[in-house]
Amino acid sequence: MSEALHPPESAYNLIPVEETKKEKAPRYVSKFRPAVILEKKLIKEPIRTMGPARVELPSTENFLKKHSKEPKLPEKTQSSKDVHKTCSFTERKPPVPTRNDRPLMGIHTKRDFLKETAVVVPMKPHPTYVDTNKGHKQVLENSGLVPKFIMKKVFSYSCYSHKHVQTLLCI
């Protein structure tokens, strides 16, 4: 403890140490500061009362009422009620003919039912094969998996000559 109060003697302790203060740079002040302060006062002067100076206060008689700002639907008239009654869902259909009624004879139409049904008949689907597990399809005819030329007239049991087969391969 005595060492802390009285440090050991040293030649360096005998030389007086001059304390030097670091001089700070002067504080920065913008050259536009006076103009900014003046401009701020000019802008805020008229509205320093939290809003425009002269505003008419709303009268107490014209207060908002419930649903007053919602759009109003036009009033129902007699004609609009009639339209609802003549809806196709509510009007009556003609009664089903009884068992004893005879069908009307001699009714002709220009409509050709044969042509209309011919157009409606779906085409046969082309045979396909699925290529991948994701369902990628290919036409089976062009794939080479089905023999294509075996039904030709040229391929009969009597055509076994070597020249004839060569000409078919060249085609």
Side-chain angles (χ1 to χ4, degrees), residues 84-161:
H84 180 67
K85 288 181 180 175
T86 59
C87 181
S88 63
F89 295 114
T90 57
E91 70 183 27
R92 287 187 163 265
K93 295 181 180 178
V96 178
T98 60
R99 191 175 68 173
N100 299 333
D101 287 347
R102 295 199 170 237
L104 297 172
M105 303 303 275
I107 298 175
H108 296 287
T109 181
K110 293 181 179 179
R111 193 167 159 188
D112 190 3
F113 291 98
L114 294 176
K115 284 184 181 177
E116 288 181 17
T117 54
V119 173
V120 177
V121 173
M123 294 175 59
K124 254 208 262 183
H126 295 290
T128 58
Y129 71 98
V130 179
D131 200 8
T132 62
N133 61 351
K134 301 266 184 180
H136 184 254
K137 293 181 182 178
Q138 294 285 343
V139 180
L140 194 60
E141 186 178 324
N142 299 336
S143 67
L145 298 172
V146 178
K148 195 171 183 180
F149 296 110
I150 61 166
M151 302 306 283
K152 272 191 164 183
K153 291 179 183 177
V154 178
F155 290 109
S156 63
Y157 293 110
S158 61
C159 293
Y160 283 112
S161 68

Side-chain angles (χ1 to χ4, degrees), residues 3 6 14 36 55-56 66 96 100 127 131 134 137 157 166-168 170:
E3 290 181 13
H6 305 287
L14 297 175
V36 170
V55 177
E56 294 181 21
K66 186 177 184 181
V96 178
N100 299 333
D131 200 8
K134 301 266 184 180
K137 293 181 182 178
Y157 293 110
Q166 282 181 346
T167 57
L168 286 176
C170 292

Side-chain angles (χ1 to χ4, degrees), residues 38-51 53:
L38 181 66
E39 194 173 314
K40 187 176 177 185
K41 282 185 181 178
L42 289 175
I43 292 172
K44 289 203 172 186
E45 191 69 35
I47 25 176
R48 72 178 159 194
T49 59
M50 297 291 290

Side-chain angles (χ1 to χ4, degrees), residues 59-78:
S59 67
T60 55
E61 296 169 0
N62 297 333
F63 57 88
L64 288 177
K65 296 182 181 176
K66 186 177 184 181
H67 305 294
S68 63
K69 292 200 172 186
E70 291 179 3
K72 295 181 180 177
L73 296 173
E75 294 182 15
K76 291 184 178 179
T77 59
Q78 187 66 24

